[in-house]
Amino acid sequence: MTLTQFNIGEPQLYIRGVGSSSDSAASDPSIGVSIDEVSIGRSGASALAFLDIERVEVLRGPQGTLYGRNASGGALNIYTRKPVFQNTGSLTARIGSFDEYGLEGVVNRQLDDETAIRFAARYNTNDGYAENVPTGRGLEGGTSLGARVSVLKEAGEWSLLLSGDYSKDDMDGHARIPVTTSATAPAFVTLINTLRTGLDRRQSFSSPDNYQDRTNFGVTARVEHSGQAFDFVSLTSFRDNDYSWRDNLGGLPFPAFPLEVDDRASEKARQFSQEFRLASKPGSDINWVAGAYVFQEDILRSERFIVNTALPIAPPSFGGDTTFIQDATNRSFAVFGQANIPFADIWELTLGARWTHDKREIHQIAIDNEGGANPPPGIPLGPGGAPYNVSGDESFSEPSWKIALAVEPVDNVRLYASYDRGYKAGAFPSTAQSGAQALTPLASELLDNYEIGVKSTLMGRLRFNAAAFKLEYTDLQVYELLGLALVTSNAQAEVDGFEIETALAITNNLTIGGSYTSLDAKFTSNAASGALVLPYNGNTLPRSPDSQYTLYIDSEWDVAGGVLAARADYQWTDAFYFDPSNNPEVLSPEHELVSAFLSWESPSGLKISAYGKNLTDTEYQTHIIKNVGVGFSVFGAPRSFGVALSQSF
């Protein structure tokens, strides 16, 4: 899994080489993100994901036969803690590198025999680990706050869980750093090195006015009924997400460097979802689930590019001021079901199916804010495009399924083979250069996933899981930034790989473990975008390192009347590309990340902890935009430390 971020509204999650970098209002992510089983339509709307959480699940492969929203390549599911029938709480304060300060509190109260309430809130601020060179103002920092309240009502066979959440992020924006390669024109290498003399990887000329702001809130009602023959779940949710950001995409001063791109975007998204599920009773001979799902989101997205150019990049007339507006409504309806059928004592057959119908309505507008006074229209609309104001719609329907066969020849050893079909609806492109392009949707994305594996626990101390898989893509939706124009297309692709996960309890106090993943993720065809042929055949899929592994050691000891816990993690990631071109400037080199955590907790609930992140002070890129042979990059945080003090009650 790799997780990078273009901006606050566009985190980019990839699992087994599967993911999406689309920012279009009329598209879906390849990897689904949900909070408490509510699918988040816009990936930037999951700001409260890590407030008072119970667990996080990473699901690999196509999803959709068990619950509401489908996802072609996998899912990240976050579950928050629910109210419990007791009076508990905690308060945590922390300080850390880059003048970080944070406060988090949780209060749980039992109101009566049938009702409990839980409230959680957090606040965090830091000055940022990067800076704007001319002013010294911090970048890559900011302030965030959030709160969640949940009320649980249980009455016999019925239960009702109502929850509401709110979050606000006021962040400082990115520090872009230009990185040259052997393929960069020598004149640009000399110029960039001269402009950046004496600066490190986290000092940038990106505008001090860069920012990333987000506000979101949501309400969810979960109704459950425990019947005699089956259980019933109704899940109703509304979410509202607003974000805006400004990013200087080059991180160099103009006109000393002959290109300046000021990118400003805002998005307002509202979504409603309703899911009904029926499920077999626990302990039934056949475990099954069946349901129906309805989803609608309304999105108004605007992105403005203010571009200044000079030779030798481009004539000054190619600069300009353009705005792209998308007003989209996306609807989805689905019915789904899955059954696990045991037979012959040690075998189990799993059959799942889903039918999904999606409809997209889009109104796309491209505006030359200079009113044609300085032709051609500014990049990225020009020089080949022209302003437009067009509307259209398209519907997509597709079945998907899951077939799996598993056997447990001995206790705690499960062998399986599976075949899954994944589906992602077609999409309209953003920042199109013509009205015709704006109304030409990409085809739906289909994925066939074949997998064999083993899940086992041996001798009560060793967990060993392994899987080998093959993914075959039909009409993979592909996005590439060519110059400053976003090019969209469909291509064929295949991914072959295997994964190993282990954990060994050496003693009752000490556990070691790790994981290893190998990927061979390739395009198997070129792609076409209008008359343009994109030479992808044989290229590696974006964000698909050939190998990736983790190692960890985890321990827990009784010390000084309390519990001392320690953990250290090592992660190594092979080199990978940030876009399908496989150009040298979008290659992120192999890198390692090391972190550690130490805590001591007393029987009274007092806990003191310390942590260190990126202890080797590795320089690694979290995002790259290519232009003129230069990789304009955002680098991850350097070595950092923090301490926290918490009290449970």
Side-chain angles (χ1 to χ4, degrees), residues 15-16 18 29-32 58-77 338 350 352-354 356 399-404 418-424 445-451 469-473:
I15 297 176
R16 290 179 171 175
V18 179
S30 296
I31 306 300
V58 178
L59 306 182
R60 290 162 284 199
Q63 307 294 319
T65 58
L66 284 174
Y67 50 77
R69 195 81 188 272
N70 62 300
S72 61
L76 177 67
N77 296 336
Q338 181 171 303
T350 299
R354 178 187 184 91
T356 308
S400 53
W401 56 79
K402 178 181 182 66
I403 305 171
S418 65
Y419 164 46
D420 304 78
R421 163 64 63 92
Y423 153 75
K424 184 173 82 168
E445 185 176 284
L446 300 178
L447 169 64
D448 288 314
N449 181 77
Y450 307 91
E451 183 171 338
F469 52 88
K470 183 180 185 67
L471 284 61
E472 295 182 344
Y473 263 109

Side-chain angles (χ1 to χ4, degrees), residues 549-610:
Y549 66 86
T550 63
L551 299 170
Y552 72 87
I553 182 169
D554 202 353
S555 62
E556 192 173 279
W557 309 86
D558 293 330
V559 174
V563 176
L564 178 69
R567 182 182 174 98
D569 293 88
Y570 177 89
Q571 176 184 314
W572 187 88
T573 302
D574 211 342
F576 63 89
Y577 294 98
F578 270 88
D579 80 22
S581 71
N582 286 194
N583 285 7
E585 63 269 26
V586 294
L587 179 65
S588 174
E590 60 189 44
H591 62 271
E592 64 180 7
L593 292 174
V594 180
S595 62
F597 176 84
L598 178 70
S599 70
W600 180 84
E601 185 172 6
S602 73
S604 65
L606 176 66
K607 184 176 183 179
I608 303 170
S609 57

Side-chain angles (χ1 to χ4, degrees), residues 85-201:
F85 288 91
Q86 54 184 302
N87 295 329
T88 63
S90 66
L91 184 65
T92 301
R94 63 175 57 90
I95 60 172
S97 300
F98 321 118
D99 291 329
E100 180 179 16
Y101 300 93
L103 189 66
E104 183 171 321
V106 178
V107 176
N108 189 103
R109 286 291 180 266
Q110 179 176 345
L111 302 182
D112 55 43
D113 290 343
E114 297 181 340
T115 311
I117 187 171
R118 188 177 186 91
F119 176 77
R122 64 168 172 82
Y123 171 86
N124 195 84
T125 186
N126 70 84
D127 290 344
Y129 61 81
E131 69 169 326
N132 168 263
V133 174
T135 66
R137 176 177 168 180
L139 295 169
E140 305 293 350
T143 299
S144 62
L145 58 90
R148 176 184 293 112
V149 61
S150 302
V151 178
L152 176 63
K153 178 75 172 181
E154 294 188 346
E157 297 177 344
W158 290 90
S159 72
L160 170 64
L161 177 64
L162 295 175
S163 61
D165 59 69
Y166 172 86
S167 70
K168 183 174 178 59
D169 301 272
D170 184 5
M171 312 306 287
D172 296 327
H174 282 322
R176 290 277 172 186
I177 309 295
V179 177
T180 60
T181 72
S182 58
T184 308
F188 285 149
V189 174
T190 300
L191 177 58
I192 290 171
N193 288 343
T194 300
L195 291 172
R196 290 191 51 79
T197 298
L199 302 181
D200 65 32
R201 290 296 200 195

Side-chain angles (χ1 to χ4, degrees), residues 369-380:
N369 294 319
E370 297 178 331
N374 299 298
I379 298 173

